Amino acid sequence: MQTTKKREGLRLILYIFMVALLVYVTVYMPTPYIIYQPGSADEVKPMLSVQKGERDEKGTFMMTTVSASYANLVMLVVSAFNPNAEIDQKQSRLGNKSEDEYAAEQVYMMNDSQSSAVEAAYHEANVSYSIVPQYLFIFSTPEGDEARKNFKPGDHLSEVDGHPIRGNESLSSLLKSKKVGDQVTVKLIRDGKELEEKVNLIEIKDKNTNQMRPGLGVTIATMQKVEPKDPGLQVNFANTRIGGPSAGLMFTMEIYNQLTEGDLTKGYQVAGTGTIDKDGNVGPIGGVQHKIVAADRKHAEIFFVPKENYADAKAKADKIKTNMKLVPVNTLEDAIHYMDSLQAKS
């Protein structure tokens, strides 16, 4: 009797172990793959506002996204049967960056895209403005360096030794009087919370002079704000939790629409993608085939696509038999002129 109970207990333990192992392998065990799929087509208007802007729109401007998921075994199997899913190596996305560094880079690129969108819209609408540096954004913290203990990708660096830091120049100027090994007190904002850290300066090479100098040992960039001469034309962005630069064109279209009289949407559902620079040039993006599907699912009638992405966009549009009108553009003016040429919906 005792032997039978012992066997049954061992079988139960083995069964639980096998179930736990199966769950881990299929759900939790990481794989070296990433899955790309159509994301969303989201209305841009709720994401930004111009204080004295025209906000009446009968149609909508929509930005489009790609869904990217680090894959487990179950997701890989399901995706193999999904015609809109694309499986790729995780390393091809990350390169030599960690997942945290990649995420921080995407946040920076979105912020930079928003600044460029504001500049391009102001330029097109003849609004006077200036560029004001705000704080330093930390991209990466090299493995093994002293900086790894104090900083994380995505941190905002706002002060060093009690001095406000607005950009690279103010940081370099402050550290000129320091030497390697000196300790400085830095103020950081991480996930909305303010932190204070003691940091020992390390020796780094100045990329401009190739000379060695004391520094923090992190990769940084200046975050800036575009301020109009008329405060009533200030553009404010909501936190979208979306990264990357590819919403630039559609941000610019919405900002321009709010800055100018009339309704540029003309009552149409307008989606699109493309980077933007301050001069209004539209650049290519990745994953356009997924964005075409996302826009079609939201019943977009028009899709603005960078000229360099047009062939891939057209191939996918033909494959899914969408009724969307694909409009290739090189510049912001191309997109505005197209909308101006349309008859407004009654």
Side-chain angles (χ1 to χ4, degrees), residues 1-52:
M1 189 72 175
Q2 287 278 16
T3 304
T4 303
K5 285 185 177 180
K6 188 177 289 187
R7 284 175 182 169
E8 288 177 354
L10 287 173
R11 285 197 193 104
L12 179 61
I13 291 171
L14 182 61
Y15 174 76
I16 293 172
F17 173 77
M18 293 302 294
V19 169
L21 181 63
L22 181 63
V23 170
Y24 171 75
V25 169
T26 57
V27 178
Y28 295 106
M29 187 176 75
T31 72
Y33 298 102
I34 190 167
I35 299 171
Y36 296 106
Q37 299 183 74
S40 59
D42 301 311
E43 187 179 350
V44 177
K45 184 178 174 182
M47 301 179 189
L48 62 89
S49 62
V50 179
Q51 290 180 20
K52 294 195 304 187

Side-chain angles (χ1 to χ4, degrees), residues 5 28 57 68 103 126 130 146 185 204 213 228 240 244 261 275 280 298 330 340 345:
K5 285 185 177 180
Y28 295 106
E57 292 179 358
N126 296 313
S130 58
E146 178 73 17
T185 302
I204 62 172
R213 62 177 178 82
T240 63
E261 292 184 8
T275 65
K298 277 291 185 80
N330 276 326
D340 283 339
K345 280 189 171 183

Side-chain angles (χ1 to χ4, degrees), residues 17 27 131 135 141 193-194 203 207 218 220 228 242 247 257 291 298 339:
F17 173 77
V27 178
I131 302 298
Y135 59 87
T141 53
K193 297 179 181 178
E194 193 174 88
E203 188 176 59
K207 65 179 181 180
V218 292
I220 54 179
I242 298 171
N257 197 25
K291 295 179 179 183
K298 277 291 185 80
M339 294 306 301

Side-chain angles (χ1 to χ4, degrees), residues 134-164:
Q134 288 190 296
Y135 59 87
L136 284 175
F137 182 85
I138 296 173
F139 276 111
S140 65
T141 53
E143 192 70 56
D145 284 348
E146 178 73 17
R148 176 67 70 174
K149 301 174 185 177
N150 305 102
F151 302 104
K152 287 188 177 181
D155 282 351
H156 298 183
L157 174 61
S158 59
E159 284 186 18
V160 174
D161 281 346
H163 298 278

Side-chain angles (χ1 to χ4, degrees), residues 301-342:
E301 299 165 278
I302 298 164
F303 191 96
F304 285 117
V305 59
K307 221 161 205 176
E308 292 180 52
N309 294 122
Y310 180 74
D312 289 338
K314 181 70 164 58
K316 189 64 176 182
D318 289 344
K319 189 172 182 179
I320 66 173
K321 296 181 172 57
T322 181
N323 293 321
M324 279 190 307
K325 170 69 175 176
L326 266 58
V327 181
V329 294
N330 276 326
T331 66
L332 170 62
E333 286 189 350
D334 291 342
I336 291 173
H337 288 163
Y338 180 83
M339 294 306 301
D340 283 339
S341 70
L342 297 177

Side-chain angles (χ1 to χ4, degrees), residues 263-277:
D263 179 9
L264 191 63
T265 71
K266 302 287 186 69
Y268 293 90
Q269 304 298 303
V270 185
T273 188
T275 65
I276 197 84
D277 67 19

